[in-house]
Amino acid sequence: MLIDKNDVSVPVTVFARTSVAPDRAFQVVAPIDLTTVFKADRFFPGISSVANQSDTWDHVGVSRNPRFDDGSTVEEQLTEYVEGHGFAYELTGFTNALRNLAAGVRGEFSFLPDGEGTLIRWTYAFKPLPGRRLIIAGPFAPLWRRYMQAGLNRMVAATEATNAPGEA
């Protein structure tokens, strides 16, 4: 486990609503193509491809290596998976600037009923390297929150597209 109860992490959380039911939102978001979600902006590279995913992204233990447009990579492993409700993963082995700031990240998605739709909660909990917590919590977190919200908005658009008229 990357982060335990004794660690001081820096969480960044974003929320978005979709009109589709939680189980449907989960079915779209959990296996989503990362290249459609993580787009480059002024501060962060986008994901250009995913390597080494030898299995479907639907059970604990599966791993993959997202590759960024700047040539950097990260190792990602699914650590929790509850069909229709949520999943969690850990990111380690950053080869970009994050390698100088964090030992890793625990990401977590929750799909919560919200009337006829779903409230999606996405959290990134950074485990800062010694002496780096203030950098992550200070100037980095607001920029990362904006980047995450843009990605989550793209995920919501993908869920809404599955709820188009004429679809089951």
Side-chain angles (χ1 to χ4, degrees):
M1 179 183 294
L2 176 67
I3 299 173
D4 65 31
K5 66 180 182 168
N6 298 316
D7 289 318
V8 178
S9 64
V10 178
V12 177
T13 301
V14 294
F15 299 88
R17 287 183 165 77
T18 179
S19 63
V20 304
D23 60 333
R24 183 66 188 137
F26 180 93
Q27 290 169 0
V28 173
V29 172
I32 203 160
D33 177 355
L34 299 180
T35 66
T36 66
V37 173
F38 293 96
K39 302 293 184 181
D41 72 4
R42 293 183 313 189
F43 302 104
F44 304 107
I47 292 180
S48 57
S49 66
V50 176
N52 304 321
Q53 184 173 327
S54 59
D55 207 351
T56 55
W57 195 252
D58 64 358
H59 60 277
V60 172
V62 68
S63 62
R64 60 189 178 188
N65 296 96
R67 296 177 185 264
F68 300 94
D69 330 3
D70 65 359
S72 62
T73 62
V74 66
E75 297 168 17
E76 181 178 23
Q77 182 174 30
L78 199 55
T79 57
E80 295 178 33
Y81 189 89
V82 180
E83 182 74 37
H85 298 282
F87 61 95
Y89 54 94
E90 291 180 355
L91 300 164
T92 57
F94 290 100
T95 64
N96 57 20
L98 274 177
R99 76 176 176 263
N100 299 314
L101 297 175
V105 173
R106 175 186 161 80
E108 183 179 305
F109 277 89
S110 298
F111 298 82
L112 309 166
D114 185 40
E116 297 291 315
T118 305
L119 175 66
I120 302 172
R121 179 181 61 210
W122 182 21
T123 298
Y124 250 52
F126 291 88
K127 181 177 182 175
L129 290 171
R132 307 306 197 296
R133 185 180 186 291
L134 289 178
I135 295 169
I136 294 174
F140 183 84
L143 297 172
W144 187 254
R145 182 174 292 107
R146 185 183 55 80
Y147 184 71
M148 282 178 68
Q149 189 67 60
L152 184 55
N153 292 345
R154 290 183 194 102
M155 292 179 219
V156 166
T159 68
E160 295 291 331
T162 68
N163 207 25
E167 299 219 2

